[in-house]
Protein backbone atom coordinates (compact mmCIF):
# COMPACT_ATOMS: atom_id res chain seq x y z
CA UNK A 1 0.00 0.00 0.00
CA UNK A 2 1.05 3.61 -0.53
CA UNK A 3 -0.10 7.14 0.11
CA UNK A 4 -2.70 8.57 -2.26
CA UNK A 5 -2.97 12.35 -2.56
CA UNK A 6 -5.88 14.21 -4.17
CA UNK A 7 -4.99 17.68 -5.44
CA UNK A 8 -6.43 20.28 -7.81
CA UNK A 9 -5.08 22.58 -10.54
CA UNK A 10 -1.31 22.87 -10.28
CA UNK A 11 -1.25 26.38 -11.71
CA UNK A 12 -3.69 27.78 -9.15
CA UNK A 13 -4.21 25.57 -6.09
CA UNK A 14 -1.74 26.84 -3.51
CA UNK A 15 -2.76 24.35 -0.84
CA UNK A 16 -2.40 21.50 -3.32
CA UNK A 17 1.14 22.72 -4.02
CA UNK A 18 1.95 22.53 -0.32
CA UNK A 19 0.57 19.01 -0.03
CA UNK A 20 2.46 17.81 -3.11
CA UNK A 21 5.78 19.47 -2.18
CA UNK A 22 5.65 17.86 1.26
CA UNK A 23 6.07 14.55 -0.58
CA UNK A 24 8.05 15.33 -3.72
CA UNK A 25 10.62 17.69 -2.22
CA UNK A 26 11.62 14.98 0.26
CA UNK A 27 11.41 11.95 -2.04
CA UNK A 28 8.46 10.30 -0.27
CA UNK A 29 6.50 7.97 -2.60
CA UNK A 30 2.89 8.98 -3.28
CA UNK A 31 0.21 8.27 -5.86
CA UNK A 32 -1.34 11.52 -7.06
CA UNK A 33 -4.87 12.05 -8.31
CA UNK A 34 -5.94 15.37 -9.79
CA UNK A 35 -9.24 17.19 -10.16
CA UNK A 36 -9.99 20.68 -11.50
CA UNK A 37 -11.62 23.47 -9.55
CA UNK A 38 -14.74 25.42 -10.53
CA UNK A 39 -16.28 22.47 -12.33
CA UNK A 40 -19.21 20.29 -11.31
CA UNK A 41 -16.90 17.29 -11.19
CA UNK A 42 -14.69 18.88 -8.53
CA UNK A 43 -17.00 18.29 -5.59
CA UNK A 44 -17.89 14.83 -6.90
CA UNK A 45 -14.21 13.90 -7.06
CA UNK A 46 -13.53 15.28 -3.59
CA UNK A 47 -16.46 13.57 -1.93
CA UNK A 48 -15.78 10.29 -3.70
CA UNK A 49 -12.26 10.40 -2.26
CA UNK A 50 -13.30 11.57 1.22
CA UNK A 51 -17.08 11.93 1.69
CA UNK A 52 -17.08 14.67 4.37
CA UNK A 53 -14.56 16.85 2.51
CA UNK A 54 -15.05 19.90 0.33
CA UNK A 55 -11.46 21.02 -0.26
CA UNK A 56 -8.06 19.72 -1.35
CA UNK A 57 -5.46 18.45 -0.66
CA UNK A 58 -6.65 15.20 0.88
CA UNK A 59 -4.33 12.36 1.78
CA UNK A 60 -5.25 8.70 2.23
CA UNK A 61 -2.57 6.98 4.32
CA UNK A 62 -1.36 3.41 3.77
CA UNK A 63 -3.36 2.32 6.82
CA UNK A 64 -6.59 3.91 5.60
CA UNK A 65 -6.44 7.12 7.57
CA UNK A 66 -7.65 10.33 5.95
CA UNK A 67 -5.92 13.70 6.35
CA UNK A 68 -8.03 16.55 4.99
CA UNK A 69 -5.81 19.60 5.56
CA UNK A 70 -2.33 20.51 4.39
CA UNK A 71 -1.16 21.20 7.94
CA UNK A 72 -2.31 17.77 9.09
CA UNK A 73 -0.49 16.23 6.13
CA UNK A 74 2.66 18.16 7.01
CA UNK A 75 2.76 17.13 10.67
CA UNK A 76 1.97 13.52 9.76
CA UNK A 77 4.86 13.29 7.31
CA UNK A 78 7.28 15.04 9.65
CA UNK A 79 6.53 12.58 12.45
CA UNK A 80 6.43 9.53 10.17
CA UNK A 81 9.69 10.33 8.35
CA UNK A 82 11.95 11.96 10.98
CA UNK A 83 15.08 11.25 8.92
CA UNK A 84 13.92 12.97 5.71
CA UNK A 85 14.79 16.49 6.84
CA UNK A 86 11.16 17.61 6.59
CA UNK A 87 11.77 19.61 9.76
CA UNK A 88 15.25 20.67 10.89
CA UNK A 89 17.06 18.44 13.36
CA UNK A 90 18.38 21.39 15.37
CA UNK A 91 15.82 22.10 18.14
CA UNK A 92 15.80 25.89 17.68
CA UNK A 93 15.56 25.68 13.90
CA UNK A 94 12.85 23.05 14.26
CA UNK A 95 10.81 25.29 16.57
CA UNK A 96 11.22 28.23 14.20
CA UNK A 97 10.19 26.13 11.21
CA UNK A 98 7.07 24.85 12.98
CA UNK A 99 6.11 28.39 13.98
CA UNK A 100 6.60 29.65 10.43
CA UNK A 101 4.44 26.83 9.05
CA UNK A 102 1.67 27.59 11.53
CA UNK A 103 1.67 31.34 10.83
CA UNK A 104 1.57 30.80 7.09
CA UNK A 105 -1.31 28.35 7.47
CA UNK A 106 -3.44 30.85 9.38
CA UNK A 107 -2.21 34.24 8.22
CA UNK A 108 -1.64 36.63 5.33
CA UNK A 109 -5.32 36.75 4.37
CA UNK A 110 -5.08 40.09 2.58
CA UNK A 111 -2.21 39.00 0.37
CA UNK A 112 -3.77 35.63 -0.39
CA UNK A 113 -7.15 37.20 -1.20
CA UNK A 114 -5.90 40.00 -3.42
CA UNK A 115 -3.20 38.00 -5.19
CA UNK A 116 -4.37 34.45 -6.01
CA UNK A 117 -1.59 32.06 -6.97
CA UNK A 118 -1.21 31.95 -10.74
CA UNK A 119 1.78 30.15 -12.26
CA UNK A 120 0.73 30.66 -15.89
CA UNK A 121 1.23 34.40 -16.24
CA UNK A 122 2.63 37.48 -14.64
CA UNK A 123 0.50 40.56 -14.10
CA UNK A 124 1.70 44.14 -14.57
CA UNK A 125 0.51 47.34 -12.88
CA UNK A 126 -0.93 45.63 -9.79
CA UNK A 127 -1.38 48.16 -6.98
CA UNK A 128 -1.22 46.57 -3.53
CA UNK A 129 -3.56 47.79 -0.82
CA UNK A 130 -2.33 48.89 2.59
CA UNK A 131 -3.42 45.49 3.96
CA UNK A 132 -1.36 43.68 1.32
CA UNK A 133 1.63 45.92 2.07
CA UNK A 134 1.27 45.06 5.75
CA UNK A 135 1.35 41.34 4.90
CA UNK A 136 4.44 41.87 2.76
CA UNK A 137 6.14 43.70 5.61
CA UNK A 138 5.34 40.80 7.92
CA UNK A 139 6.77 38.34 5.39
CA UNK A 140 9.98 40.31 5.12
CA UNK A 141 10.30 40.47 8.89
CA UNK A 142 9.78 36.72 9.32
CA UNK A 143 12.03 35.76 6.43
CA UNK A 144 14.75 38.19 7.43
CA UNK A 145 14.84 36.93 11.01
CA UNK A 146 14.95 33.32 9.81
CA UNK A 147 17.83 33.97 7.41
CA UNK A 148 19.74 35.83 10.13
CA UNK A 149 19.14 33.10 12.70
CA UNK A 150 19.91 30.10 10.51
CA UNK A 151 22.21 31.39 7.77
CA UNK A 152 20.15 30.30 4.76
CA UNK A 153 20.02 29.41 1.99
CA UNK A 154 16.43 28.55 2.98
CA UNK A 155 14.45 29.84 5.93
CA UNK A 156 15.79 27.42 8.51
CA UNK A 157 19.00 26.37 6.81
CA UNK A 158 18.22 23.45 4.50
CA UNK A 159 14.93 23.29 2.61
CA UNK A 160 12.15 22.31 5.04
CA UNK A 161 8.40 22.44 5.61
CA UNK A 162 8.74 26.14 6.33
CA UNK A 163 9.76 26.67 2.71
CA UNK A 164 7.07 24.29 1.45
CA UNK A 165 4.41 26.38 3.16
CA UNK A 166 5.75 29.72 1.96
CA UNK A 167 6.31 28.56 -1.63
CA UNK A 168 2.91 29.72 -2.98
CA UNK A 169 3.22 33.12 -1.29
CA UNK A 170 6.72 33.51 -2.68
CA UNK A 171 5.38 32.94 -6.20
CA UNK A 172 2.82 35.72 -5.68
CA UNK A 173 5.66 38.19 -5.25
CA UNK A 174 6.79 37.30 -8.78
CA UNK A 175 3.37 36.96 -10.40
CA UNK A 176 2.23 40.41 -9.23
CA UNK A 177 5.65 42.12 -9.12
CA UNK A 178 5.08 43.00 -5.47
CA UNK A 179 7.31 45.57 -3.79
CA UNK A 180 9.79 43.68 -1.60
CA UNK A 181 13.46 43.99 -0.74
CA UNK A 182 16.28 42.22 -2.55
CA UNK A 183 16.56 39.30 -0.10
CA UNK A 184 12.81 38.61 -0.26
CA UNK A 185 12.88 38.76 -4.05
CA UNK A 186 15.86 36.41 -4.17
CA UNK A 187 14.01 33.98 -1.90
CA UNK A 188 11.00 34.04 -4.23
CA UNK A 189 13.24 33.43 -7.24
CA UNK A 190 14.87 30.49 -5.45
CA UNK A 191 11.45 28.87 -5.10
CA UNK A 192 10.60 28.95 -8.80
CA UNK A 193 14.05 27.51 -9.57
CA UNK A 194 13.68 24.65 -7.06
CA UNK A 195 13.71 21.30 -8.93
CA UNK A 196 10.46 19.98 -7.46
CA UNK A 197 8.68 23.28 -8.05
CA UNK A 198 9.82 23.36 -11.69
CA UNK A 199 8.30 19.92 -12.22
CA UNK A 200 5.04 21.05 -10.58
CA UNK A 201 4.78 24.15 -12.76
CA UNK A 202 5.64 22.27 -15.96
CA UNK A 203 2.81 19.80 -15.33
CA UNK A 204 0.42 22.64 -14.55
CA UNK A 205 1.13 24.40 -17.82
CA UNK A 206 -0.15 21.39 -19.80
CA UNK A 207 -2.99 20.41 -17.47
CA UNK A 208 -5.71 22.08 -19.52
CA UNK A 209 -6.98 25.55 -20.43
CA UNK A 210 -6.59 28.51 -18.10
CA UNK A 211 -9.16 28.95 -15.37
CA UNK A 212 -11.11 32.16 -16.18
CA UNK A 213 -11.76 32.65 -12.46
CA UNK A 214 -8.12 33.69 -12.11
CA UNK A 215 -8.12 36.23 -14.93
CA UNK A 216 -7.51 39.84 -13.89
CA UNK A 217 -8.11 43.19 -15.53
CA UNK A 218 -4.40 43.85 -15.75
CA UNK A 219 -1.79 43.71 -18.53
CA UNK A 220 -0.07 40.35 -18.82
CA UNK A 221 3.65 39.73 -18.73
CA UNK A 222 5.66 36.51 -18.82
CA UNK A 223 5.74 34.55 -15.58
CA UNK A 224 9.20 35.27 -14.13
CA UNK A 225 10.70 31.80 -13.93
CA UNK A 226 13.88 30.26 -15.34
CA UNK A 227 13.69 30.28 -19.14
CA UNK A 228 13.24 26.68 -20.34
CA UNK A 229 15.12 25.06 -23.18
CA UNK A 230 13.25 25.58 -26.44
CA UNK A 231 11.38 22.38 -27.29
CA UNK A 232 8.33 21.63 -29.41
CA UNK A 233 6.01 18.70 -30.01
CA UNK A 234 6.40 16.96 -33.36
CA UNK A 235 4.27 14.36 -35.08
CA UNK A 236 6.78 11.59 -35.57
CA UNK A 237 10.28 10.23 -35.04
CA UNK A 238 12.59 8.54 -35.47
CA UNK A 239 13.63 9.35 -31.92
CA UNK A 240 16.97 9.09 -30.19
CA UNK A 241 15.38 6.81 -27.58
CA UNK A 242 13.09 3.79 -27.98
CA UNK A 243 11.66 3.79 -24.43
CA UNK A 244 9.92 6.60 -22.53
CA UNK A 245 12.36 8.07 -20.00
CA UNK A 246 9.65 8.04 -17.32
CA UNK A 247 7.77 4.76 -17.77
CA UNK A 248 10.12 2.65 -19.88
CA UNK A 249 7.23 1.95 -22.29
CA UNK A 250 7.65 2.13 -26.10
CA UNK A 251 7.56 5.65 -27.52
CA UNK A 252 4.51 6.94 -29.38
CA UNK A 253 4.74 10.76 -28.94
CA UNK A 254 7.66 12.98 -29.84
CA UNK A 255 9.36 16.30 -29.18
CA UNK A 256 12.18 18.11 -30.93
CA UNK A 257 14.89 20.04 -29.17
CA UNK A 258 18.09 21.39 -30.76
CA UNK A 259 17.27 19.48 -33.93
CA UNK A 260 17.08 16.14 -32.08
CA UNK A 261 13.90 14.10 -31.59
CA UNK A 262 12.99 12.24 -28.40
CA UNK A 263 10.06 9.93 -27.74
CA UNK A 264 7.57 9.38 -24.90
CA UNK A 265 4.83 6.90 -24.11
CA UNK A 266 1.95 9.40 -24.07
CA UNK A 267 1.08 13.03 -24.75
CA UNK A 268 1.38 14.12 -21.12
CA UNK A 269 4.92 12.76 -20.75
CA UNK A 270 5.86 14.64 -23.91
CA UNK A 271 4.05 17.87 -23.08
CA UNK A 272 5.35 18.23 -19.52
CA UNK A 273 8.84 17.86 -20.98
CA UNK A 274 8.18 20.42 -23.70
CA UNK A 275 7.08 22.86 -20.98
CA UNK A 276 10.43 22.65 -19.15
CA UNK A 277 12.90 19.99 -20.29
CA UNK A 278 15.41 20.77 -17.53
CA UNK A 279 12.82 20.09 -14.84
CA UNK A 280 12.99 16.36 -15.56
CA UNK A 281 16.19 14.52 -14.62
CA UNK A 282 15.03 11.38 -16.44
CA UNK A 283 14.80 13.32 -19.70
CA UNK A 284 18.00 15.25 -19.18
CA UNK A 285 19.85 11.96 -18.68
CA UNK A 286 19.04 10.93 -22.25
CA UNK A 287 19.23 14.44 -23.67
CA UNK A 288 22.75 14.91 -22.40
CA UNK A 289 23.82 11.32 -23.03
Amino acid sequence: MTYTLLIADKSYSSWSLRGWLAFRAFDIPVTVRTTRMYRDQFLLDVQAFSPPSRTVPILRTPTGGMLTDSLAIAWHLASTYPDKGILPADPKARADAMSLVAEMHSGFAALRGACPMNLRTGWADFVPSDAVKADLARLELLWGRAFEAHGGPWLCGAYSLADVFFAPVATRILTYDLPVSGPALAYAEAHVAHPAFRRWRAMGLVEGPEQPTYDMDLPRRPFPAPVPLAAKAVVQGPSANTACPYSGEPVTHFLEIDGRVFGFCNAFCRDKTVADPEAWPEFMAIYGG
Side-chain angles (χ1 to χ4, degrees), residues 93 143-158:
W143 293 353
R145 285 180 173 174
F147 293 139
E148 183 178 354
H150 305 294
W154 298 95
L155 290 176
C156 297

Side-chain angles (χ1 to χ4, degrees), residues 54-109:
R54 299 180 64 86
T55 60
V56 291
I58 309 170
L59 180 68
R60 183 178 293 124
T61 72
T63 56
M66 201 71 70
L67 299 167
T68 59
D69 183 272
S70 60
L71 188 58
I73 294 170
W75 296 152
H76 169 81
L77 292 178
S79 62
T80 304
Y81 297 94
D83 298 327
K84 286 284 190 179
I86 298 172
L87 287 172
D90 174 75
K92 184 180 185 304
R94 186 181 185 90
D96 287 349
M98 294 176 73
S99 297
L100 287 165
V101 166
E103 180 162 350
M104 181 61 254
H105 187 266
S106 61
F108 306 99

Side-chain angles (χ1 to χ4, degrees), residues 137-176:
R138 178 63 180 170
L139 282 177
E140 295 214 54
L141 176 65
L142 292 175
W143 293 353
R145 285 180 173 174
F147 293 139
E148 183 178 354
H150 305 294
W154 298 95
L155 290 176
C156 297
Y159 189 91
S160 73
L161 271 181
D163 305 295
V164 166
F165 268 67
F166 278 103
V169 165
T171 71
R172 288 164 161 94
I173 289 172
L174 302 177
T175 297
Y176 297 89

Side-chain angles (χ1 to χ4, degrees), residues 103 111 129 173 244:
E103 180 162 350
L111 175 56
S129 66
I173 289 172
C244 177

Side-chain angles (χ1 to χ4, degrees), residues 14-35:
S14 58
W15 293 109
S16 292
L17 172 57
R18 292 179 177 99
W20 186 89
L21 278 175
F23 280 91
R24 295 304 193 199
F26 304 101
D27 295 321
I28 300 172
V30 64
T31 298
V32 178
R33 297 183 185 176
T34 304
T35 185

Side-chain angles (χ1 to χ4, degrees), residues 8 11 59 97 137 152 183 199 209 211 216 230 232 240 245 249 269:
S11 295
L59 180 68
R199 292 192 288 274
Q211 289 274 21
M216 303 193 78
K232 63 180 181 180
E249 298 294 324
C269 285

